[in-house]
Amino acid sequence: MKVSNPLTIVAIFAGVAETFATGALVLLPETMQAKFIDFVMFFPVLIVVTFFLILVFKPQVLYAPSDFANEEHFLHANNLKDVVAQETEKVLNEAKQKNQISGDLKALSKRVADLTVRGLEDEMDKRVLSYMLERPREAFTPRGLGHILTTSKHATFDSLMRLEKMEKVVSGMDGDIKVWQAKT
């Protein structure tokens, strides 16, 4: 079972904790059993309350990148692009104060953030293409290739689409399933 979502991790943790707590209950002396039963009863309540507080105040942290149809939306939901741009702007401000650069810092920091994302996409494209070139006679689905490379099927699909535009891979149909193969 692939665990790709924080909700799954919380559920597994709660289930395992309750199972072990129930098993441990019979091994405790009777004097401690009452306190332990209270803990076992209120622990799930604490988890549920914490979950709903997170859900109300920061719901985007409960989703993995693969939960989004487009992982660019994950970046927007978590403001990661903005954070990179802000941090870059701070560094550029410091450099500007030391008279090391000039120009519009907001535009420059936005450009750095975009270049960072593009760099990550290029790195992903290289990984996908490298793997496919090592196996030129095989055809891959985004899900299968994503599983092999331990990335999401959406990121793999986006990479395959970019590589297809660059004419480095070709797509075709295997029955009713679309597959990609390295162009040789």
Side-chain angles (χ1 to χ4, degrees), residues 127-161:
R127 282 183 62 205
V128 168
L129 186 60
S130 171
Y131 186 83
M132 291 177 78
L133 288 172
E134 291 172 5
R135 294 154 186 84
R137 296 185 186 272
E138 295 181 34
F140 299 94
T141 64
R143 170 176 260 147
L145 197 55
H147 180 72
I148 292 166
L149 299 174
T150 63
T151 61
S152 74
K153 68 179 180 182
H154 300 294
T156 307
F157 176 77
D158 291 343
S159 179
L160 288 168
M161 294 304 289

Side-chain angles (χ1 to χ4, degrees), residues 7 9-18 39-54:
L7 294 175
I9 295 169
V10 170
I12 290 170
F13 170 73
V16 168
E18 287 296 309
F39 170 75
V40 170
M41 287 177 6
F42 290 110
F43 182 68
V45 174
L46 176 68
I47 290 175
V48 168
V49 168
T50 304
F51 170 76
F52 279 107
L53 287 173
I54 291 170

Side-chain angles (χ1 to χ4, degrees), residues 99-179:
N99 293 323
Q100 294 173 339
I101 59 168
S102 62
D104 181 19
L105 295 183
K106 269 226 187 284
L108 194 55
S109 62
K110 180 86 170 134
R111 184 165 183 251
V112 168
D114 289 339
L115 288 172
T116 302
V117 170
R118 192 173 311 132
L120 293 171
E121 289 174 348
D122 290 346
E123 188 176 311
M124 176 68 175
D125 293 350
K126 286 177 188 172
R127 282 183 62 205
V128 168
L129 186 60
S130 171
Y131 186 83
M132 291 177 78
L133 288 172
E134 291 172 5
R135 294 154 186 84
R137 296 185 186 272
E138 295 181 34
F140 299 94
T141 64
R143 170 176 260 147
L145 197 55
H147 180 72
I148 292 166
L149 299 174
T150 63
T151 61
S152 74
K153 68 179 180 182
H154 300 294
T156 307
F157 176 77
D158 291 343
S159 179
L160 288 168
M161 294 304 289
R162 287 189 300 270
L163 290 168
E164 190 171 18
K165 278 184 184 175
M166 293 184 272
E167 298 182 357
K168 295 185 177 185
V169 299
V170 293
S171 65
M173 297 300 287
D174 183 11
D176 60 346
I177 299 172
K178 188 170 185 175
V179 293

